[in-house]
Amino acid sequence: MTSYKIGIIGGTGPQGKGLAYRFAQAGHTVVLGSRSTERAERTATEIVRRAGDAVSISGADNATAAESADVVLLAVPYNGHAALVESLRTRLADKVVLSCVNPLGFDQRAPYGLNVAEGSAAEEAQRIVPEARLVGAFHHLSATSLWSGAGLLDHEDVLVCGDDSEAKTVAVELARTVTGRAGIDVGALRLARQLEPFTAVLIGVNKRYKVRSGIRIAGLGHEG
């Protein structure tokens, strides 16, 4: 597997921290980004305690994390997403940018997908930074499962969408660090409109049945 330097914007949040842990364990160099460098450094130390001293992981502010990376992962809440991406626009240009941002709302009934003007958070990021090579991926993975000491999440698949085939290949390859299998290329970036809100369905299932469910695509013969 190719070794990448991965900057995780929102790396101190549950999803970002969990993916950082998995990527670092697999031998990638990870830079956690946060609005607070101190918070990012504390989270990096926490991951080292969990993964061991051999991993390469550090903390920085979001701008530094994006600037220094080969691949950038957006793992931030949707609230404030557009403003944050705009602030990083020059640093994200021409880079592979993976988005696992899920625009969700929550009320007393259940979580639900929000209406996004561009169709999805991934497409919103692409509009703001047209030079970036945007890919939607890693939307449906449980943050709790990612951070757990369990092995590969082999009951799940990572679904990948994008308009740049080489950028999608990066996400497909990185999926192996989480599930043990290549990610599944499901098509164009516009399909993030379906992938992002589906996370609300899984959250509801997990709450109702007290499980950590995931998506697994049958019939492809993609065990490796």
Side-chain angles (χ1 to χ4, degrees):
M1 177 179 288
T2 304
S3 179
Y4 296 105
K5 186 172 186 180
I6 304 171
I8 301 185
I9 308 305
T12 60
Q15 195 80 358
K17 183 173 75 170
L19 285 167
Y21 168 55
R22 298 286 174 158
F23 294 156
Q25 272 193 316
H28 299 288
T29 298
V30 177
V31 183
L32 297 178
S34 172
R35 287 176 296 179
S36 165
T37 300
E38 183 181 357
R39 186 183 305 118
E41 290 173 343
R42 285 200 306 268
T43 303
T45 299
E46 185 180 0
I47 293 173
V48 170
R49 285 199 299 266
R50 169 66 65 89
D53 292 337
V55 300
S56 178
I57 187 164
S58 59
D61 61 88
N62 283 323
T64 300
E67 181 74 36
S68 64
D70 308 313
V71 177
V72 178
L73 173 71
L74 301 177
V76 297
Y78 183 65
N79 183 30
H81 170 262
L84 176 61
V85 174
E86 176 63 39
S87 73
L88 300 173
R89 188 173 58 81
T90 59
R91 294 172 173 87
L92 298 178
D94 301 320
K95 292 191 176 184
V96 173
V97 178
L98 312 180
S99 173
C100 66
V101 177
N102 294 314
L104 301 180
F106 298 85
D107 61 20
Q108 293 181 341
R109 296 174 62 188
Y112 59 94
L114 298 175
N115 292 322
V116 179
E118 283 82 1
S120 66
E123 290 171 289
E124 181 177 83
Q126 185 70 89
R127 175 189 61 78
I128 296 169
V129 194
E131 305 88 353
R133 303 163 68 190
L134 248 295
V135 176
F138 301 104
H139 300 98
H140 306 127
L141 301 173
S142 161
T144 302
S145 295
L146 288 169
W147 181 242
S148 74
L152 294 168
L153 307 184
D154 56 6
H155 67 294
E156 303 194 47
D157 281 315
V158 174
L159 307 186
V160 177
C161 64
D163 298 328
D164 184 306
S165 60
E166 291 183 359
K168 281 197 287 188
T169 297
V170 173
V172 165
E173 186 179 6
L174 284 174
R176 292 185 186 275
T177 67
V178 180
T179 67
R181 296 182 307 281
I184 298 175
D185 182 348
V186 300
L189 188 66
R190 66 185 181 183
L191 289 178
R193 302 174 192 182
Q194 281 71 51
L195 296 183
E196 292 174 1
F198 192 76
T199 303
V201 176
L202 293 176
I203 293 172
V205 169
N206 291 344
K207 182 176 181 180
R208 188 169 299 109
Y209 291 96
K210 296 179 173 54
V211 295
R212 296 176 190 168
S213 62
I215 292 177
R216 182 74 188 271
I217 304 298
L220 295 182
H222 62 297
E223 297 304 316

